[in-house]
């Protein structure tokens, strides 16, 4: 997993507030103005600046600044790793996360050209061209969907006004999680994709809030299905990979039904009693339980709470595992399940606004992004089988030691006549065979 | 009052419209203008406020103050709803200031509590959870104080803008007041959860559910699901009685929802589907209940090699006799849900499965069977096609039920058959699974299959040991089971290879231990293969040695790995030391004269 943090253009200049974020190589520093402006000698123990480190940090506030990072630069780091992964058959998932207004949509989906997505596609197609005269051939299909209030809408299909959200997420054992009835368009060149992309963006729901006049209130996933047909040892075979480009809804959204609640650690209170279950399910997750039922266990990310102690060897026979909680992860995490761990590469772009007025949101975005670095999908070992095996092996080692020791003793004993030695060797061998049989049976 | 008569009626009407806009109309706002109705409501409220201050002189000061407080409250909530927290806070603060002197009187107490509820929400949105806690706890205290000192159904805030004849009945007043307090408790539950006061949070959730039932303020399906979720919390605390109670209540309340014939015929297929899904989800909670009860019992009963300890069994049986009645009843009172008729159904439901640890096979089997029934029920909805992950999780639970039941079974042959059942259910789903999309589940299944084969082999060895002599059939069986276990461990290790089929130089931290344990188990399995052919035996020993060596070498190269596999490493080192000598002896035996 690679995590990228990006400090984009902002509405900062329009607002005239103070800049509170600094970027220093791979570290982003946020200054807390509230603390800053207090008189010296306050008893506040909070740090004035908080530093977060990431794999990459970009500063895109002022084009004049020497540290200024253009979309081109962002792409070079990002796009290259996306592409190389996709060609090798990995699933790739690229997230943009951050407060509305901090430029996330700008990075992922927004206005024409010079966006990650475009770069990625351009890269794909140029690569495709390279291959055209060789044995390999490839197909690119795209789909584009939106998740709004936990409902899925196809962005590449003329929507029925009455029933805009009817798609269900399902899973197939062979093809993985999918959206039933989602349009997949076969594309052959870069221009087609851009058209589709723009068509979809136009359909996306954006609503006026006070923070941003075109803030995204929905998640959008643009998926590129990339299939390469190759000859492997003269046998035709296929490498399939999926690139998901995910634009997460603005992080200041307060709607509890939003899946954001499942992936961030916002302290908001859900107002409606109907969502009571969400509260209890986090309770149950916090107090994970003892059980030995699973050999390997998957833990979905719940930020810091998901850290599981690696089992202390030999002392406990059992793995901790939360009980079943009947609140499904959000549609978003469900759809991206295969992209959030295992054989996939995940890239996170956290965008923040350097303005002081966004201090809280900035902090929560950064906290989330640095927690996301800890997302783990850990298989675990069934310790009770292991404990048994260890015990048994210990016994065997003791037996082996005793046995070999008795050999050494005998070998070092002098003055046996050849004749007797021969007989004895015979005897010992017989003994050994017995011992051998005994422990084989154990 | 000067503005009385027509003027007042108009004010009331405006106020009512504003409330409707905010509560009802706003739900229909277009997605592109989510706050349209809220903003209209705000404008109306402001008009009302103006009218009120125009009528200020001459009116009764207290009455005016309370009315103003109602408006401040509504405006405060309105601003909070539209993401303008600071303005919202100001209004709400003004509301509580106006009410402060009268907060214990029947016309103010409900409003005051609701204002504090909203201040709690507001501060939680600012991540100042402690401040939120202060407001909510003070609301809770106020409720308790009012109920103690007065206790009469207080006025609902909306009544301050109502004509005398429209005023609410005592019953309705009480219902609304209790609802406001239920919200206080629910918000407190969340606050405690955020503060990681887990037990307290759970207790408040429980009380919230209980009150919803008492005051009939619930949707059966949601309530049932919430109760089922709470049961999972109790499970994690090993409180099986509470867990069972929640589940039984969930099932009873859910069946209410099923019985109500759909009010309108146009109930969509989607709704039906959702209902079936909820039912299956509650069934899954029951499965977990049965499974956890059995597994916890196993933990209590097993000796240090994971076998049933008869002494422990006797001890626990005696202990259970003593404790049985007294303790359970005392605990039960505190958590009981529902009014008497619901209660009877819940108790009837509870009787179907025990909530005490099973101590012998018979008792374990009863719980197992209940669990197995729920497995069937859950699988009806969660079919492979469409619900791969859920389906497999249920099958894994089914397998786990068999595994823990096998622990209680004394007869090795029958025990072995139970494990065979696990294989029979796990192997086909594993085969159908595309590891590209379900890598983690595939790995879980590989490991579980390997472990199960290992367990069966162990049992066959134990059975063989009871015989006079190992017959060739048993030896064959043992070897083939060991080979299958090896096969699945190898499949797991293969899943770690990169797309170019190369095993990683350095293992990711999350798979380090599983990978090492798999290597270690394979090493052991090669050591256990039975053969009369000494050459073959040498070969197996050689392979075994290679796997042990892998562990040792890896840890030498990456010392950080040692932490994860200390014991395995220690034993592997010993084996790496001992095996070559042992093989030397064997070789010598093969050709004694060289």
């Amino acid at each position: 997993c690679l995590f990228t943090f990006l400090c984009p253009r902002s509405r900062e200049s329009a607002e005239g507030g103070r800049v509170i974020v600094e970027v220093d190589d791979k570290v982003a520093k946020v200054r807390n103005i509230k603390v800053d402006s207090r008189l010296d000698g306050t008893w506040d123990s909070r740090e004035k600046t908080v530093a977060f480190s990431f794999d990459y940090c970009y500063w895109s506030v002022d084009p004049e600044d020497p540290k200024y990072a253009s979309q081109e630069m962002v792409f070079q780091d990002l796009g290259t790793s996306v592409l190389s992964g996709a060609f090798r058959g990995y699933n790739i998932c690229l997230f943009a996360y951050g407060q509305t207004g901090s430029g996330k949509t700008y990075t992922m989906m927004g206005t024409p050209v010079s966006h990650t997505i475009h770069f990625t596609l351009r890269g794909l197609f140029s690569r495709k061209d390279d291959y055209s005269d060789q044995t390999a051939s490839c197909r690119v299909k795209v789909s584009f969907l939106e998740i709004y209030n936990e409902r899925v809408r196809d962005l590449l299909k003329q929507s029925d006004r009455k029933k805009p959200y009817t798609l269900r997420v399902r899973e197939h054992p062979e093809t993985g999680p999918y959206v039933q009835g989602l349009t997949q368009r076969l594309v052959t060149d870069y221009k087609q994709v851009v058209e589709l992309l723009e068509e979809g963006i136009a359909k996306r729901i954006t609503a006026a809030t006070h923070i941003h006049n075109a803030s995204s209130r929905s998640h959008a996933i643009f998926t590129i299905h990339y299939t390469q047909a190759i000859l492997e040892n003269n046998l035709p075979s296929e490498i399939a990979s999926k690139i998901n480009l995910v634009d997460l809804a603005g992080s200041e959204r307060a709607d509890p039904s939003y899946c954001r609640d499942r992936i961030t650690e916002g302290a908001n209170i859900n107002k409606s009693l109907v969502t009571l279950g969400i509260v209890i399910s986090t309770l149950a997750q916090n107090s994970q339980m003892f059980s030995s039922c699973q050999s390997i266990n998957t833990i979905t990310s719940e930020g810091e709470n998901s850290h599981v102690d690696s089992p202390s060897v030999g002392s406990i026979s059992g793995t901790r595992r939360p009980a079943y909680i009947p609140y499904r992860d959000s549609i978003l995490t469900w759809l991206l399940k295969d992209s959030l761990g295992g054989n996939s590469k995940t890239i996170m772009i956290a965008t923040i606004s350097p303005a002081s007025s966004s201090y809280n949101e900035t902090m929560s975005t950064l906290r989330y992004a640095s927690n996301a670095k800890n997302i783990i999908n850990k298989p675990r070992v069934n310790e009770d089988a292991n404990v048994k095996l260890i015990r048994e092996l210990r016994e065997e080692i003791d037996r082996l030691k005793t046995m070999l020791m008795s050999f050494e003793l005998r070998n070092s004993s002098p003055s046996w006549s050849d004749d007797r030695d021969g007989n004895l060797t015979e005897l010992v061998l017989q003994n050994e065979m017995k011992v051998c049989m005994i422990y084989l049976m154990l | 009052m000067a503005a009385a008569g027509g003027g007042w009626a108009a004010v009331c009407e405006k106020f009512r419209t504003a409330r409707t806009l905010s509560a009802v109309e706003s739900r229909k706002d277009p997605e592109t203008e989510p706050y349209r109705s809220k903003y209209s409501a705000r404008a109306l409220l402001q008009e009302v406020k103006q009218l009120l201050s125009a009528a200020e002189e001459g009116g009764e000061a207290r009455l005016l103050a309370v009315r103003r407080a109602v408006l401040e409250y509504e405006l405060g909530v309105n601003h909070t709803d539209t993401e303008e927290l600071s303005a919202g806070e100001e209004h709400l603060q003004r509301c509580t200031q106006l009410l402060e002197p009268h907060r214990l009187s029947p016309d103010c107490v409900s409003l005051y509590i609701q204002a504090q509820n909203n201040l709690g929400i507001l501060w939680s949105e600012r991540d100042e959870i402690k401040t939120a806690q202060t407001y909510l706890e003070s609301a809770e205290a106020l409720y308790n104080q009012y109920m103690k000192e007065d206790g009469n159904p207080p006025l609902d805030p909306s009544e301050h803008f109502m004509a005398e004849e429209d005023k609410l009945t005592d019953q309705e007043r009480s219902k609304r007041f209790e609802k406001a307090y239920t919200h206080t408790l629910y918000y407190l539950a969340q606050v405690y959860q955020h503060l990681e006061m887990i037990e307290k949070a759970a207790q408040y959730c429980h009380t919230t559910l209980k009150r919803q039932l008492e005051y009939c303020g619930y949707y059966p399906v949601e309530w049932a699901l919430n109760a089922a979720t709470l049961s999972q919390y109790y499970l994690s605390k090993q409180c099986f009685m509470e867990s069972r109670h929640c589940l039984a209540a969930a099932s009873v309340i859910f069946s209410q929802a099923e019985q109500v014939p759909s009010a309108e015929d146009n109930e969509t297929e989607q709704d039906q589907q959702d209902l079936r899904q909820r039912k299956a989800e509650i069934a899954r909670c029951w499965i977990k209940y049965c499974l956890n009860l059995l597994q916890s019992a196993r933990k209590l009963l097993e000796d240090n090699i994971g076998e049933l300890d008869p002494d422990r069994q006797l001890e626990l049986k005696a202990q259970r006799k003593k404790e049985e009645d007294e303790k359970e009843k005392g605990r039960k009172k505190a958590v009981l849900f529902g009014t008497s008729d619901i209660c009877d159904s819940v108790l009837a439901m509870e009787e179907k499965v025990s909530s005490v640890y099973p101590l012998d096979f018979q008792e374990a089997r009863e719980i197992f069977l209940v669990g197995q029934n729920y497995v069937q029920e859950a699988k009806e909805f969660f079919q492979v096609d469409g619900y791969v992950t859920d389906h497999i999780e249920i099958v894994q639970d089914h397998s786990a039920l068999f595994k823990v039941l096998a622990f209680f079974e004394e007869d090795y042959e029958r025990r072995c058959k139970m494990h065979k059942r696990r294989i029979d259910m796990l192997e086909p789903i594993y085969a159908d699974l595309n590891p590209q999309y379900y890598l983690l589940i595939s790995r879980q299944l590989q490991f579980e299959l390997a472990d199960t084969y290992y367990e069966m082999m162990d049992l066959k060895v134990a059975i063989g040991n009871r015989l006079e002599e190992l017959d060739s059939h048993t030896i064959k069986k043992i070897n083939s089971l060991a080979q299958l276990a090896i096969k699945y461990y190898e499949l797991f290790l293969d899943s770690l290879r990169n797309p170019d089929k190369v095993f990683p130089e350095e293992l990711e931290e999350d798979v380090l231990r599983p990978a090492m344990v798999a290597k270690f188990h394979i090493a052991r399995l090669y050591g256990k293969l039975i053969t009369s052919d000494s050459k073959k035996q040498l070969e197996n020993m050689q392979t075994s040695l290679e796997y042990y060596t892998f562990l040792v070498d890896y840890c030498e190269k990456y010392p950080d790995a040692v932490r994860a596999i200390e014991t395995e490493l220690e034993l592997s080192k010993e084996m790496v030391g001992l095996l070559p000598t042992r093989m030397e002896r064997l070789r010598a035996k093969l050709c004694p004269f060289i």
Side-chain angles (χ1 to χ4, degrees):
Chain A
C1 287
L2 164 77
F3 290 93
T4 304
F5 157 71
L6 165 71
C7 224
R9 273 171 30 146
S10 68
R11 61 206 163 88
E12 164 57 20
S13 43
E15 214 174 65
R18 291 172 64 183
V19 172
I20 55 164
V21 182
E22 275 173 50
V23 165
D24 186 7
D25 193 22
K26 292 184 176 179
V27 179
K29 289 179 186 155
V30 184
R31 212 161 55 241
N32 187 341
I33 299 259
K34 279 186 214 156
V35 183
D36 224 17
S37 58
R38 278 182 204 154
L39 291 172
D40 283 10
T42 49
W43 307 94
D44 203 313
S45 59
R46 279 186 289 181
E47 289 282 328
K48 283 186 185 177
T49 11
V50 186
F52 296 89
S53 66
F54 296 91
D55 294 339
Y56 299 95
C57 278
Y58 305 95
W59 179 253
S60 317
V61 175
D62 177 9
E64 305 298 309
D65 195 298
K67 278 185 282 184
Y68 179 78
S70 65
Q71 290 280 329
E72 271 78 2
M73 279 175 65
V74 177
F75 169 72
Q76 283 208 336
D77 292 336
L78 269 183
T80 319
S81 82
V82 170
L83 283 172
S84 68
F87 290 134
R88 291 170 62 207
Y90 279 107
N91 291 332
I92 315 276
C93 198
L94 194 85
F95 285 99
Y97 176 87
Q99 172 201 6
T100 324
S102 57
K104 169 171 58 72
T105 304
Y106 177 84
T107 315
M108 288 294 275
M109 306 256 176
T111 48
V113 282
S114 75
H115 301 298
T116 313
I117 191 166
H118 294 177
F119 273 113
T120 311
L121 283 163
R122 212 182 277 162
L124 266 187
F125 283 109
S126 68
R127 172 91 175 215
K128 201 181 152 179
D129 292 339
D130 294 345
Y131 269 116
S132 53
D133 50 299
Q134 291 176 27
T135 44
S137 71
C138 65
R139 255 180 319 153
V140 179
K141 278 198 226 162
V142 297
S143 57
F144 198 9
L145 62 88
E146 171 188 59
I147 304 170
Y148 181 77
N149 267 335
E150 286 301 85
R151 287 174 300 173
V152 181
R153 183 166 77 149
D154 192 340
L155 288 174
L156 296 183
K157 201 178 191 172
Q158 284 308 321
S159 58
D160 180 347
R161 283 199 172 247
K162 277 184 192 160
K163 280 181 164 182
Y165 296 100
T166 47
L167 301 179
R168 281 189 94 91
V169 178
R170 297 171 63 86
E171 289 177 358
H172 189 274
E174 259 300 303
T175 53
Y178 67 103
V179 177
Q180 199 171 20
L182 184 72
T183 319
Q184 282 196 7
R185 299 274 185 92
L186 188 70
V187 289
T188 47
D189 64 39
Y190 171 66
K191 225 183 91 204
Q192 275 183 321
V193 188
V194 175
E195 276 165 22
L196 288 175
L197 190 63
E198 277 167 4
E199 186 190 317
I201 288 169
K203 285 212 197 91
R204 269 194 82 185
I205 289 187
T206 50
T209 70
H210 281 255
I211 307 285
H212 196 298
N213 50 11
S215 84
S216 322
R217 299 171 73 82
S218 63
H219 308 293
I221 307 178
F222 187 82
T223 310
I224 305 168
H225 305 262
Y226 180 70
T227 321
Q228 303 167 75
I230 50 159
L231 279 178
E232 202 180 41
N233 305 327
N234 278 327
L235 288 169
S237 80
E238 273 191 351
I239 301 179
S241 51
K242 239 178 18 178
I243 307 173
N244 285 308
L245 298 132
V246 188
D247 187 12
L248 295 171
S251 64
E252 74 285 341
R253 280 287 295 150
D255 186 342
S257 63
Y258 251 61
C259 91
R260 171 185 85 70
D261 282 340
R262 311 283 302 153
I263 52 179
T264 69
E265 295 169 82
N268 293 353
I269 289 182
N270 297 330
K271 286 184 215 168
S272 155
L273 278 169
V274 169
T275 53
L276 174 65
I278 306 287
V279 182
I280 323 171
S281 68
T282 18
L283 285 183
Q285 275 167 11
N286 284 342
S287 51
Q288 288 177 348
M289 60 191 313
F290 255 113
S291 107
S292 52
C293 57
Q294 297 289 286
S295 329
I296 310 181
N297 197 358
T298 316
I299 309 145
T300 45
S301 69
E302 280 289 338
E304 289 170 325
N305 295 332
S306 68
H307 286 272
V308 180
D309 306 333
S310 56
S312 57
V313 181
S315 59
I316 36 161
S317 57
T319 49
R320 276 160 174 262
R321 173 165 209 275
Y324 173 66
I325 293 146
Y327 279 85
R328 170 169 290 295
D329 287 341
S330 68
I331 291 208
L332 183 77
T333 25
W334 191 10
L335 261 177
L336 299 176
K337 191 154 45 186
D338 56 308
S339 307
L340 289 172
N343 63 342
S344 64
K345 292 188 184 294
T346 308
I347 296 168
M348 178 93 198
I349 309 173
T351 63
I352 59 166
S353 157
S356 57
S357 62
S358 306
Y359 173 77
N360 281 329
E361 286 77 11
T362 298
M363 287 299 283
S364 79
T365 303
L366 290 179
R367 263 191 224 116
Y368 173 68
S370 66
N371 276 338
K373 287 174 84 169
N374 298 324
I375 290 180
I376 39 167
N377 268 309
K378 202 178 203 166
R380 280 185 289 182
V381 175
N382 175 8
E383 296 296 336
D384 46 55
N386 202 39
V387 166
K388 216 171 184 176
L389 186 147
I390 285 170
R391 176 175 308 272
E392 210 185 71
L393 188 58
R394 278 228 163 90
E395 286 162 11
E396 178 173 334
I397 286 171
D398 288 344
R399 264 196 307 271
L400 271 173
K401 275 184 181 159
T402 329
M403 192 173 85
L404 294 172
M405 192 120 68
S406 65
F407 271 123
E408 271 163 38
L409 276 177
R410 260 192 308 279
N411 288 345
S412 57
S413 315
S415 75
W416 294 95
S417 76
D418 281 357
D419 186 37
R420 287 171 69 195
D421 195 16
N423 282 336
L424 255 175
T425 314
E426 195 60 35
L427 251 170
V428 167
L429 270 174
Q430 277 169 8
N431 267 333
E432 192 189 342
M433 284 296 279
K434 272 184 200 159
V435 173
C436 190
M437 275 315 277
I438 289 164
Y439 80 76
L440 280 173
M441 288 177 199
L442 285 174
Chain B
M1 225 177 98
W8 178 242
V11 167
C12 291
E13 181 57 26
K14 265 198 195 352
F15 181 82
R16 218 169 46 97
T17 319
R19 297 226 341 159
T20 319
L21 272 171
S22 178
V24 184
E25 290 299 315
S26 68
R27 275 186 232 148
K28 298 179 213 149
D29 283 345
E31 281 151 348
T32 44
E33 269 180 281
Y35 299 144
R36 193 170 67 185
S37 304
K38 295 267 180 198
Y39 292 147
S40 323
R42 185 192 294 179
L44 280 176
L45 288 169
Q46 252 138 8
E47 277 176 46
V48 176
K49 196 175 164 188
Q50 301 247 302
L51 288 172
L52 214 58
S53 38
E56 192 133 330
E57 67 275 4
E60 189 200 325
R62 183 174 185 278
L63 185 70
L64 269 173
V66 175
R67 282 180 180 161
R68 282 229 306 280
V70 176
L71 284 173
E72 294 293 352
Y73 169 76
E74 292 290 340
L75 281 165
V77 173
N78 184 292
H79 279 94
T80 323
D81 284 348
T82 53
E83 299 174 25
E84 293 164 74
L85 295 190
S86 304
E89 187 196 348
E90 269 174 44
H91 287 294
L92 289 171
Q93 287 292 8
R94 243 176 270 147
C95 169
T96 52
Q97 275 156 21
L98 285 163
L99 293 181
E100 194 63 44
H102 322 295
R103 66 201 159 97
L104 270 167
S105 55
D107 57 338
C108 298
V109 67
S110 184
L111 180 59
Y112 196 85
I113 285 176
Q114 291 182 44
Q116 286 192 309
N117 279 354
N118 276 283
L119 281 163
I121 291 173
L122 190 142
W123 282 99
S124 84
E125 268 166 41
R126 291 176 168 164
D127 249 337
E128 301 269 353
I129 219 70
K130 289 263 182 204
T131 316
Q133 182 191 8
T134 320
Y135 282 110
L136 292 168
E137 282 179 348
S138 128
E140 184 190 24
L142 182 63
Y143 171 89
N144 289 327
Q145 196 186 351
Y146 177 81
M147 289 312 271
K148 206 169 136 200
E149 292 176 10
D150 190 319
N152 291 312
L155 257 66
D156 188 67
S158 64
E159 288 188 74
H160 294 292
F161 288 89
M162 261 184 204
E164 205 53 49
E165 63 269 21
D166 295 336
K167 295 262 159 96
L168 304 170
T169 61
D170 269 359
Q171 201 190 356
E172 180 62 24
R173 281 177 179 169
S174 163
K175 199 175 142 193
R176 294 196 186 185
F177 182 53
E178 295 299 339
K179 195 174 170 194
Y181 179 60
T182 306
H183 276 93
T184 307
L185 297 175
Y186 170 53
Y187 300 152
L188 271 172
Q190 298 183 62
V191 160
Y192 292 136
Q193 201 251 309
H194 287 308
L195 294 171
E196 287 174 23
M197 299 157 80
I198 305 292
E199 260 107 83
K200 222 166 169 185
Q203 184 197 323
Y204 276 75
C205 277
H206 197 118
T207 317
T208 306
L209 283 172
K210 209 169 153 179
R211 289 178 58 89
Q212 280 183 290
L213 217 51
E214 272 163 41
Y215 298 99
C216 293
Y218 63 96
Y219 304 105
V221 178
E222 286 298 335
W223 194 94
L225 205 61
N226 286 334
T229 315
L230 187 60
S231 80
Q232 303 292 290
Y233 163 79
Y234 285 123
L235 267 193
S236 69
K237 295 276 167 200
Q238 314 235 340
C239 300
F240 292 102
M241 189 203 64
E242 288 85 348
S243 183
R244 182 183 66 173
H245 187 62
C246 286
L247 279 169
S251 290
V252 168
I253 298 292
F254 188 86
S255 63
Q256 284 184 357
E258 280 183 315
Q259 279 157 17
V260 178
S262 56
E264 301 118 64
D265 284 328
N266 60 359
E267 193 169 310
T268 59
E269 194 184 319
Q270 171 98 42
D271 293 337
Q272 290 292 339
Q273 174 105 346
D274 286 347
L275 209 60
R276 284 207 307 275
Q277 176 163 350
R278 297 291 174 240
K279 191 176 181 180
E281 279 167 342
I282 293 170
R284 287 188 67 181
C285 290
W286 275 112
I287 301 173
K288 291 290 183 186
Y289 169 82
C290 296
L291 189 51
N292 279 287
L293 184 57
L294 287 164
Q295 286 171 337
S296 302
R298 176 190 167 155
K299 280 265 166 316
L300 288 176
L301 288 168
E302 72 189 354
D303 57 17
N304 57 9
I305 53 162
E307 293 290 328
L308 200 146
D309 183 340
D311 294 344
R312 221 33 217 125
Q313 190 178 26
L314 284 175
E315 194 183 308
L316 284 165
K317 278 193 169 169
Q319 192 184 327
R320 182 161 80 189
K321 270 229 168 81
K322 251 196 262 164
E323 286 175 356
E324 222 146 48
D325 310 310
E326 328 133 31
K327 208 171 134 197
E328 298 288 314
K329 275 182 188 149
R331 262 165 89 207
K332 193 140 195 175
K333 260 188 193 140
V335 293
L336 221 52
F337 281 126
T339 46
S340 58
D341 52 327
I342 289 176
C343 218
D344 288 344
S345 321
V346 172
L347 289 179
M349 189 77 206
E350 286 188 332
E351 271 170 24
K352 292 180 185 166
V353 58
S354 164
S355 74
V356 294
Y357 294 122
L359 297 177
D360 56 37
F361 180 75
Q362 212 38 47
E363 291 172 352
R365 187 169 165 272
E366 275 166 31
I367 297 165
F368 167 86
L369 287 174
V370 173
Q372 189 167 249
N373 274 335
Y374 282 113
V375 166
Q376 300 313 335
E377 189 178 319
K379 276 202 317 203
E380 261 170 49
F381 180 82
F382 290 113
Q383 300 185 354
V384 191
D385 188 10
Y387 297 93
V388 178
T389 318
D390 293 284
H391 182 85
I392 292 178
E393 277 168 12
I394 295 164
V395 175
Q396 284 178 305
D397 280 347
H398 196 185
S399 157
L401 279 169
F402 268 111
K403 183 179 175 183
V404 68
L405 182 67
F407 166 81
F408 289 92
E409 172 63 69
E410 283 169 33
D411 183 80
Y412 284 177
E413 288 288 357
R414 284 174 55 184
R415 209 191 269 191
C416 207
K417 288 204 175 88
M418 291 176 189
H419 290 299
K420 183 71 174 71
R421 289 288 301 273
R422 300 174 58 202
I423 298 282
D424 290 344
M425 59 180 84
L426 295 171
E427 228 162 23
I429 47 171
Y430 168 74
D432 284 344
L433 212 57
N434 181 348
Q436 195 187 358
Y437 295 106
Y438 300 98
L439 181 67
L440 291 161
I441 306 177
S442 299
R443 285 182 180 166
Q444 287 177 21
L445 291 174
Q446 285 156 353
F447 231 99
E448 190 168 350
L449 280 163
D451 283 346
T452 311
Y453 275 122
Y454 195 107
E455 211 145 348
M456 286 175 74
M457 179 207 64
D458 254 1
L459 284 167
K460 287 288 176 203
V461 171
I463 292 167
N465 279 343
R466 288 180 180 171
L467 302 172
E468 291 276 298
E469 208 174 321
L470 273 178
D471 59 87
S472 67
H473 175 74
T474 311
I475 290 176
K476 232 172 155 179
K477 193 77 206 156
I478 290 170
N479 282 342
S480 90
L481 289 168
Q483 291 290 4
L484 283 162
I486 291 172
K487 171 184 141 188
Y488 281 103
Y489 284 125
E490 290 288 9
L491 280 170
F492 170 74
L493 290 168
D494 285 343
S495 82
L496 302 175
R497 294 171 188 268
N498 69 17
D500 307 322
K501 312 269 189 292
V502 181
F503 196 82
E505 255 317 277
E506 187 173 2
L507 291 156
E508 299 272 342
E509 209 196 319
D510 54 351
V511 293
L512 175 66
R513 180 163 169 80
M516 290 304 196
V517 170
K519 292 265 186 196
F520 182 65
H521 282 202
I522 294 172
R524 178 71 191 132
L525 280 159
Y526 274 107
K528 290 194 93 163
L529 287 173
I530 303 171
T531 171
S532 51
D533 176 356
S534 303
K535 240 170 124 186
K536 196 84 198 136
Q537 195 186 350
L538 258 175
E539 268 172 41
N540 289 340
M541 284 168 111
Q542 179 60 36
T543 319
S544 180
L545 176 64
E546 279 160 21
Y547 279 87
Y548 286 123
T549 313
F550 177 90
L551 255 79
V552 177
D553 289 352
Y554 187 92
C555 289
E556 234 159 64
K557 199 164 167 196
Y558 305 103
D560 283 350
V562 177
R563 219 165 16 93
I565 43 158
E566 250 164 294
T567 313
E568 289 81 359
L569 178 65
E570 174 212 317
L571 295 176
S572 297
K573 276 184 180 160
E574 299 237 36
M575 287 307 276
V576 169
L578 291 169
L579 270 179
T581 333
R582 170 87 187 80
M583 285 160 74
E584 213 45 59
R585 303 295 321 168
L586 200 62
R587 263 187 219 112
K589 195 172 64 186
L590 270 178
C591 321
F593 304 111
I594 296 171

